[in-house]
Amino acid sequence: MRLVGKVGVIGAVAAATMLAAGCGGSSDNKASSTTTTAAATSTTTAAATTAASKGRECTAEDISVDGGFGTAPTIKLPADCDPPKELITKDLVVGSGPEAKAGDKLSTNYTLITWSNQKKLDSSFDRGKPLPLTLGAGQVIKGWDQGLVGIQEGSRRLLIIPPALGYGDHPPSGMKPGETLVFVTDAVKVGN
């Protein structure tokens, strides 16, 4: 049970506490896209793809995100493609603050939806309190530790996290084994 590492199940425990396209949301013309390749090959990926394939993997451009930095996003997933097997990141809004690197303190707001049912599972926006963490310290799932490197303070980033970089076959309560996770994260503060 490691959405936010040992922080616990953020949506179900503390106020039921659990924890990531410009394709419709951000009008920021500075948005950039980066695909991060990660070794996401495991039995959990196979378990997550029990449904018939739709013939192609989704990309960041297939995901629709409405709302700007600082506001709770609305995330819509397409029905005509499969969840990606690799970590996908895309900056929806590019900030101008410091850039996060491993070892930096980072404060983020986020919304999480699960791929299989397209339901919001957790949101720090709903609690009104950003999540503090040290990037790369194993306090959060691997998809966050890898996918938030390079995010600038003031940025909004889309993260599509395959099961091997999320919870794999051992998810927290309320989540299916082998689940692909979709987060929209705002970097509220980078550094001390």
Side-chain angles (χ1 to χ4, degrees):
M1 183 147 66
R2 213 167 149 321
L3 188 48
V4 203
K6 296 179 173 97
V7 174
V9 179
I10 298 181
V13 176
T17 319
M18 184 153 79
L19 187 341
C23 296
S26 172
S27 60
D28 188 337
N29 58 9
K30 293 192 276 181
S32 67
S33 179
T34 304
T35 300
T36 305
T37 304
T41 55
S42 76
T43 57
T44 58
T45 302
T49 57
T50 56
S53 174
K54 298 184 176 72
R56 72 175 183 94
E57 285 187 24
C58 291
T59 67
E61 286 69 28
D62 293 311
I63 311 300
S64 172
V65 179
D66 290 325
F69 182 89
T71 62
T74 301
I75 307 166
K76 295 178 186 154
L77 303 179
D80 63 347
C81 52
D82 300 322
K85 293 183 178 107
E86 297 178 348
L87 175 64
I88 304 286
T89 67
K90 179 177 182 176
D91 286 338
L92 306 174
V93 174
V94 178
S96 58
E99 191 173 291
K101 61 189 179 312
D104 283 347
K105 297 220 180 283
L106 181 60
S107 179
T108 66
N109 271 316
Y110 63 88
T111 293
L112 161 66
I113 66 169
T114 52
W115 193 280
S116 65
N117 63 11
Q118 301 188 24
K119 301 286 184 195
K120 179 170 69 170
L121 192 59
D122 188 32
S123 178
S124 68
F125 289 100
D126 295 348
R127 288 188 299 281
K129 184 176 179 183
L131 174 73
L133 62 108
T134 300
L135 192 60
Q139 297 173 339
V140 292
I141 58 175
K142 290 178 184 177
W144 267 49
D145 271 344
Q146 294 175 20
L148 291 177
V149 171
I151 193 170
Q152 288 183 267
E153 186 174 305
S155 293
R156 170 165 280 195
R157 182 171 285 180
L158 171 69
L159 299 172
I160 308 170
I161 302 176
L165 297 178
Y167 293 107
D169 290 330
H170 306 288
S173 154
M175 187 182 295
K176 294 179 182 180
E179 185 69 72
T180 297
L181 309 173
V182 180
F183 289 92
V184 171
T185 59
D186 285 0
V188 177
K189 177 97 173 113
V190 174
N192 298 328

